[in-house]
Amino acid sequence: GTVTGFGSVIVDGTEIDDSSATVCTEDISGTDCTASTKLQLGQRVNVRHHASGAASTITVAAGVIGLVSDKTSTTLTVAGQRVTVNTDATAGPLTAFGGTTAAGVAVTSLDDIANNDTVAVHGTPVYNTALGAYEVAATRIEAKSAINHVRLLGKVTGLTSSNFTLNGVTIDIKNTTVAPTGTALADGQSVIVFVRAANGVVTPTTPSWPAQRILVIH
């Protein structure tokens, strides 16, 4: 769910005791619990809890990580994925902002983000009927000074034995690991795709992006 408040931590309106929880980050190789991660408003998280309801592990999982392009007053493209920003509380959760750009700009609104900045976007894929494509409705956009992987969020379409399409980007799956273990990819699944930035793949300039890891959400 989405972090909507604190007191303990509030996820989708439900207060959860996180006083003894380990906070982790979902990264390219799996779950990283070695670094200190601070929960922030608007983050998408997975919560594992005890029978009492108290959280044991909270995993922070951004949907899209990459370079910004094609920024408008309410949208931007990140790693080839169209991202929408909500500033109207009557239309759903407001998009939260945070982080600092590589240029040292503290991000408090969409105005502080520029093309070619690196950001992590938390949100959910939503189908835009006018465009005939999925886009990411952002609950949080956080600037990053550097990244070690690109991350994409969306629905699998046109699956073959070697690739599929994700929001207009071709994903090469010939040498990828799919999680959870034993899961088979299928059209219509919501997935997070990890591509190592060290490969030089930061924007979709190649015919297809080589996925190192694919996490099936549902």
Side-chain angles (χ1 to χ4, degrees):
T2 303
V3 176
T4 54
F6 298 96
S8 290
V9 63
I10 301 172
V11 178
D12 288 344
T14 299
E15 185 171 356
I16 300 171
D17 179 4
D18 65 341
S19 58
S20 60
T22 300
V23 180
C24 306
T25 301
E26 180 71 31
D27 66 8
I28 195 166
S29 59
T31 302
D32 180 10
C33 302
T34 59
S36 176
T37 301
K38 183 179 179 181
L39 293 175
Q40 304 281 358
L41 192 66
Q43 286 176 331
R44 294 287 294 175
V45 296
N46 300 315
V47 180
R48 301 186 72 170
H49 59 82
H50 302 290
S52 65
S56 57
T57 305
I58 301 175
T59 303
V60 178
V64 181
I65 298 175
L67 292 184
V68 173
S69 63
D70 301 325
K71 179 191 165 188
T72 72
S73 60
T74 57
T75 67
L76 61 162
T77 299
V78 180
Q81 314 302 289
R82 177 181 161 90
V83 176
T84 61
V85 173
N86 181 35
T87 58
D88 180 1
T90 65
L94 296 173
T95 304
F97 293 87
T100 303
T101 68
V105 177
V107 173
T108 60
S109 73
L110 187 59
D111 292 339
D112 299 320
I113 297 173
N115 286 335
N116 295 317
D117 281 342
T118 304
V119 298
V121 178
H122 295 257
T124 55
V126 176
Y127 190 74
N128 184 318
T129 54
L131 296 176
Y134 283 93
E135 57 192 15
V136 179
T139 54
R140 181 178 180 83
I141 299 177
E142 185 164 345
K144 298 290 184 181
S145 58
I147 59 173
N148 62 13
H149 68 276
V150 175
R151 187 168 175 148
L152 302 91
L153 168 69
K155 299 274 189 177
V156 175
T157 59
L159 177 66
T160 71
S161 59
S162 59
N163 60 53
F164 63 82
T165 301
L166 187 79
N167 300 336
V169 176
T170 301
I171 306 298
D172 183 333
I173 60 173
K174 292 190 292 293
N175 296 297
T176 191
T177 299
V178 178
T181 301
T183 302
L185 292 174
D187 281 338
Q189 287 173 331
S190 292
V191 296
I192 294 176
V193 176
F194 298 85
V195 181
R196 189 171 295 283
N199 291 344
V201 183
V202 177
T203 55
T205 55
T206 60
S208 61
W209 286 19
Q212 178 165 334
R213 184 168 178 264
I214 297 174
L215 176 64
V216 177
I217 305 172
H218 58 76

